[in-house]
Amino acid sequence: MSVQWRIGEWGDSCGPKPGGGGAPGGSVSIKQNGGELVIYGGTRTYRTNECWEQYPGLAPRSHSGGKRGWATTCKTSAGDPRQATVITTMSATDDVISFNETGQYVFVVQGQNCTASVRRSRSFRLIQREGAAPPEPSASASASAAPSAPPPTPKPTATAESRCADPGPVARLEVRPARKLVLPGDEFQFRASVVDASGCPTGTAPQWKVPEHRGVESVGPGKLKIASDAEEGELQISATVSGRSVDVVLEVVSKARYDALLAGGDFDQSGEQGEAVALIAGAAVGSKEVTSQTKGSRNWVLFAALGGGALLLLLGGLIFALRGRKPAAVPDSLLPPQPQPPQPQPPAPPVVRKKICPTCGTVWEGEAQFCGNDQTQLVPMN
């Protein structure tokens, strides 16, 4: 009869796995010859009264067999320095034949006796009896045997590392934060990024300029150390790349003022506010420097409210003054001759107002106030 087999686990306690018996592969045929079973296929033909293990010097020493079970004990000779004892047993039912093998090995490794215990097992499941028709494959087996279409090969995507492997020329200088609150005894470093038009770091370091202030010391590029007795006040610090500069502010405040400013909502919990950006590519703008600082939202709302109120008051006063005036009547004879109306001139072309985004460098026309790409406030160009 033809069968399939399954290999179990190996395990040993010392040294390499002895022998080299291996195991049959694929489908095999098992037939009964006298009182023994013969397995054809795999790596070789095997009989139940033989040693499956191919360890050198190993030979059958005892054997027993019957209709449903077989056992063979194989040993090396008494004078062999590598002592091995392997017991192979097989048991059979109507549909399954089980194979089990245990081995004990004693050998010397660097002058020390070493003992290895191994075990292998496999089972054979009946597929077809000799002379019987082959079974019909099940629907699930047919479905599993059908070759599946290979998955589509994913298209390589450009990663940030590959995209920025060869950065372009310097296009923008970014410094964060635009304004920083510090307490006496603090130490702080402004974070500068010099990137190309695609936002890839160029590795260019800006030049820092720090004005003198009692108790404030520059200890590195953009890094400041504030003494415990430093005076309160503001320092305007500049960072320059390729002739373009951006200014940031470091403000030394007392603990009480620091807490009050944080509570006002214009600074984050670290005492930082906004970022400062300078465009390096001069062809994109009409001036030498373009600097944008993001201020607190409350200051902007307050300015807008005050400006709107003043404008309403001005318009109300103008309307009231115009209503209170009454023009005096003048005789037509005393009126000077009216000049001829001028010939109509063609209307002048409307002035196109342009603005630029200080973050991405995109030029916008019309009344747009914020960049459509990143919502940064636009800067007038004319």
Side-chain angles (χ1 to χ4, degrees):
M1 58 182 174
S2 299
V3 296
Q4 287 183 335
W5 54 269
R6 176 174 55 86
I7 300 177
E9 295 288 337
W10 276 61
D12 58 11
S13 59
C14 180
K17 297 173 183 176
S27 298
V28 297
S29 291
I30 300 179
K31 295 184 178 182
Q32 189 167 3
N33 186 354
E36 306 296 335
L37 295 181
V38 183
I39 301 176
Y40 301 92
T43 57
R44 70 178 190 273
T45 300
Y46 168 70
R47 297 175 61 91
T48 51
N49 60 352
E50 297 176 348
C51 301
W52 172 259
E53 176 62 62
Q54 300 295 295
Y55 192 74
L58 199 64
R61 304 299 178 184
S62 62
H63 174 70
S64 61
K67 293 183 177 180
R68 297 287 185 175
W70 299 263
T72 303
T73 300
C74 298
K75 293 184 178 181
T76 55
S77 61
D80 196 320
R82 299 168 298 178
Q83 290 296 306
T85 301
V86 179
I87 301 175
T88 304
T89 61
M90 295 189 71
S91 59
T93 66
D94 290 341
D95 299 318
V96 178
I97 297 178
S98 299
F99 174 99
N100 289 280
E101 184 180 73
T102 59
Q104 295 288 332
Y105 300 85
V106 180
F107 46 94
V108 179
V109 175
Q110 296 181 352
Q112 299 293 328
N113 288 335
C114 185
T115 301
S117 299
V118 298
R119 176 183 176 87
R120 68 160 64 98
S121 63
R122 62 185 67 91
S123 62
F124 303 89
R125 179 176 56 85
L126 177 64
I127 296 177
Q128 179 184 0
R129 295 186 184 277
E130 186 175 8
E136 293 291 335
S138 62
S140 59
S142 301
S144 62
S148 58
T153 303
K155 296 181 179 179
T157 57
T159 62
E161 291 79 4
S162 61
R163 181 174 59 86
C164 295
D166 187 16
V170 173
R172 191 167 71 251
L173 167 62
E174 303 171 354
V175 181
R176 299 177 179 83
R179 193 177 187 89
K180 169 64 179 175
L181 300 177
V182 292
L183 296 170
D186 283 351
E187 188 174 279
F188 180 75
Q189 183 170 17
F190 286 94
R191 305 177 295 277
S193 300
V194 182
V195 298
D196 62 8
S198 300
C200 298
T202 62
T204 305
Q207 299 294 323
W208 295 88
K209 184 178 180 181
V210 181
E212 293 185 1
H213 186 88
R214 193 175 74 83
V216 178
E217 179 186 2
S218 176
V219 294
K223 187 176 183 180
L224 303 170
K225 184 176 182 181
I226 297 87
S228 57
D229 58 347
E231 294 181 348
E232 291 192 44
E234 295 184 358
L235 284 83
Q236 185 168 310
I237 303 163
S238 65
T240 304
V241 171
S242 301
R244 305 299 174 96
S245 301
V246 66
D247 293 333
V248 292
V249 176
L250 181 82
E251 184 175 0
V252 183
V253 296
S254 63
K255 184 64 170 65
R257 189 158 179 263
Y258 184 91
D259 295 338
L261 290 173
L262 289 188
D266 293 339
F267 296 87
D268 62 16
Q269 293 302 313
S270 301
E272 300 181 5
Q273 181 189 81
E275 67 176 357
V277 178
L279 299 181
I280 308 302
V285 295
S287 61
K288 185 176 181 181
E289 295 184 10
V290 176
T291 304
S292 171
Q293 294 189 4
T294 304
K295 302 296 184 182
S297 59
R298 294 186 58 187
N299 288 343
W300 184 88
V301 173
L302 180 60
F303 174 78
L306 292 176
L311 181 59
L312 290 176
L313 290 176
L314 181 60
L315 291 176
L318 181 59
I319 294 172
F320 179 79
L322 292 176
R323 286 184 176 180
R325 294 182 58 185
K326 293 184 178 180
V330 180
D332 294 340
S333 59
L334 299 179
L335 292 176
Q338 297 296 324
Q340 294 296 326
Q343 295 296 326
Q345 300 292 333
V351 178
V352 179
R353 300 186 178 276
K354 296 183 178 180
K355 298 178 182 180
I356 186 169
C357 175
T359 300
C360 66
T362 303
V363 178
W364 299 85
E365 297 181 357
E367 299 300 326
Q369 297 293 327
F370 298 92
C371 178
N373 298 327
D374 50 25
Q375 302 303 315
T376 302
Q377 187 172 1
L378 303 178
V379 177
M381 293 182 59
N382 50 13

